[in-house]
Amino acid sequence: MDEEQQNLRVEFRLRRQEVLGRGDFAYEVVIHEAALRIRKADRGVARRQLQHLLEQSERPQVTVRVVPFDRDGFTSSSPILLLDGPVPQLDTVLRDAPHGGAFLDAEAQLATYRRWIVEVQKAAFGVVESRDFIHDLARQT
């Protein structure tokens, strides 16, 4: 990935974080344990990222859940963001991959991702167990 693409992704993620931080709507985040353990920087940065997740999980409109490595029948994937709301025809999936992002909005694609997300949610820890898991991981980091 070239520097321009990296900068665009960082800008998008910072803007997304700003919008999510306003708290205008509720949302659920399901994170695979692999994403929590892979370090893109040093231990201090990793610890601050985990602490940020814990802080966000305490907000009433935010649900944070973790899918642990040991769940059978589930494999991790590239990041997926499902944007859904009261008008299903406007729902969109953002599939992030090393070669770039793709927005998917065809009904057949959405149906596939909705089913997949249900399976991810079934594999995830509950809210309290997820918070405890992240807290323990932050202590170990």
Side-chain angles (χ1 to χ4, degrees):
M1 180 181 328
D2 64 23
E3 187 175 344
E4 180 180 0
Q5 184 66 24
Q6 288 175 350
N7 290 337
L8 286 171
R9 285 185 180 204
V10 168
E11 180 183 342
F12 173 79
R13 289 176 178 148
L14 289 172
R15 287 186 15 217
R16 178 176 63 196
Q17 185 175 8
E18 178 185 322
V19 169
L20 294 174
R22 289 196 299 250
D24 298 339
F25 50 88
Y27 62 94
E28 178 178 8
V29 177
V30 182
I31 306 169
H32 195 276
E33 181 178 349
L36 297 174
R37 289 190 180 274
I38 293 175
R39 284 195 205 127
K40 296 288 185 176
D42 63 31
R43 288 180 186 273
V45 170
R47 194 174 302 112
R48 287 192 301 276
Q49 289 174 330
L50 293 168
Q51 188 59 43
H52 180 74
L53 276 175
L54 288 169
E55 291 167 5
Q56 294 304 306
S57 72
E58 293 173 5
R59 297 171 58 200
Q61 72 273 26
V62 179
T63 302
V64 177
R65 297 176 57 208
V66 175
V67 178
F69 280 130
D70 68 353
R71 294 295 160 110
D72 289 335
F74 177 81
T75 58
S76 64
S77 177
S78 59
I80 295 171
L81 174 64
L82 171 62
L83 303 164
D84 63 346
V87 182
Q89 294 84 355
L90 299 177
D91 292 356
T92 303
V93 166
L94 169 58
R95 179 83 194 247
D96 198 8
H99 62 277
F103 291 94
L104 310 170
D105 60 2
E107 187 53 43
Q109 293 169 320
L110 288 170
T112 297
Y113 281 100
R114 286 181 184 120
R115 283 190 303 273
W116 189 79
I117 287 171
V118 167
E119 293 304 312
V120 171
Q121 290 168 326
K122 286 179 186 176
F125 286 144
V127 172
V128 173
E129 193 175 7
S130 293
R131 192 175 299 136
D132 291 345
F133 182 89
I134 295 169
H135 182 73
D136 288 344
L137 188 56
R139 272 198 318 240
Q140 297 168 19
T141 303

